């Protein structure tokens, strides 16, 4: 046999093996497939409520300490009669009066909020300097309506010349009610 005949014979044998191989694989019993794993069950739970971050700390400048020696009162003049003291208004009365002035001039309750029938109460933290001016203000608890919260901040920030009994820091409720 010649070399080409060997090659043809070898090719024929390889072809027969490849064609018979699928038939032989069907005759050999296959191992059973592995059992299916049970399905995974998952339930969703709401996450625990996240703690609210603490509000940023507010700092006030150091108050000067009063001197230990009290100043001497001026001697009373004999010809002057003592007048009864006039009741000075408190800082809360001053704030009420200021907010009433703003309301009377139409600058307190926003027109859009009136048109939409919005009402609410805003709790505003204010910081007052020695001269009675509001130096800082922020909403501590909103009304649920951004327009009312902004109006409350505008009104409180416009406070000027509060009486000396005003605290340096206070929580101020600002109410918006339709009549």
């Amino acid at each position: 046999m010649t070399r080409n005949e060997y090659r043809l014979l070898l090719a024929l044998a390889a072809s027969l093996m490849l064609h018979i191989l699928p038939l032989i694989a069907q005759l050999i019993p296959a191992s059973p497939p592995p059992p299916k794993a049970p399905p995974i069950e998952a339930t969703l739970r709401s996450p625990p409520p996240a703690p609210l971050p603490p509000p940023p700390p507010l700092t006030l400048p150091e108050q000067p300490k009063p001197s230990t020696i009290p100043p001497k009162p001026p001697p009373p003049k004999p010809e002057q009669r003592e007048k009864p003291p006039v009741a000075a208004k408190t800082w809360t009365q001053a704030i009420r009066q200021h907010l009433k002035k703003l309301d009377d001039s139409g600058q307190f309750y926003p027109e859009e909020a009136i048109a939409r029938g919005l009402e609410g109460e805003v709790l505003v933290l204010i910081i007052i300097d020695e001269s009675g001016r509001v130096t800082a203000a922020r909403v501590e608890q909103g009304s649920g309506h951004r327009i009312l919260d902004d109006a409350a901040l505008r009104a409180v920030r416009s406070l000027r010349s509060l009486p000396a009994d005003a605290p340096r820091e206070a929580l101020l409720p600002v109410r918006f009610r339709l009549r």
Side-chain angles (χ1 to χ4, degrees):
M1 283 176 110
T2 64
R3 192 179 225 168
N4 285 338
E5 290 173 351
Y6 283 121
R7 285 185 184 164
L8 282 176
L9 189 61
L10 187 61
L12 180 63
S15 176
L16 284 175
M17 290 293 279
L18 287 175
H19 282 86
I20 294 175
L21 190 61
L23 297 175
I24 295 174
Q26 286 180 352
L27 295 176
I28 299 173
S31 63
K36 288 187 177 180
I40 297 176
E41 290 183 24
T43 58
L44 294 178
R45 287 187 266 162
S46 60
L52 295 175
L58 296 172
T59 57
L60 293 175
E62 289 287 326
Q63 298 294 327
K65 294 184 179 179
S67 64
T68 57
I69 302 171
K72 292 181 181 177
K77 294 183 181 177
E79 68 266 3
Q80 247 185 355
R81 253 198 255 162
E82 288 191 25
K83 296 179 184 175
V86 177
K89 63 182 175 181
T90 64
W91 68 277
T92 55
Q93 290 170 336
I95 290 174
R96 260 190 223 109
Q97 184 180 12
H98 177 74
L99 295 180
K100 176 127 178 68
K101 274 185 201 174
L102 287 177
D103 193 31
D104 292 343
S105 66
Q107 298 174 359
F108 180 66
Y109 213 129
E111 290 293 324
E112 181 184 347
I114 293 171
R116 291 171 46 194
L118 300 179
E119 292 183 333
E121 181 175 318
V122 183
L123 193 60
V124 180
L125 174 71
I126 58 173
I127 298 178
I128 304 167
D129 65 6
E130 292 82 19
S131 65
R133 293 180 61 129
V134 173
T135 58
R138 75 171 181 221
V139 173
E140 285 295 307
Q141 181 177 350
S143 64
H145 306 289
R146 178 68 184 237
I147 190 169
L148 295 180
D149 297 349
D150 292 342
L153 278 177
R154 267 194 313 276
V156 168
R157 286 180 178 154
S158 68
L159 289 169
R160 306 276 187 270
S161 304
L162 291 175
D165 70 332
R168 298 293 165 236
E169 184 177 321
L171 280 173
L172 182 68
V174 180
R175 290 179 190 93
F176 292 91
R177 300 281 181 251
L178 293 173
R179 295 179 200 136

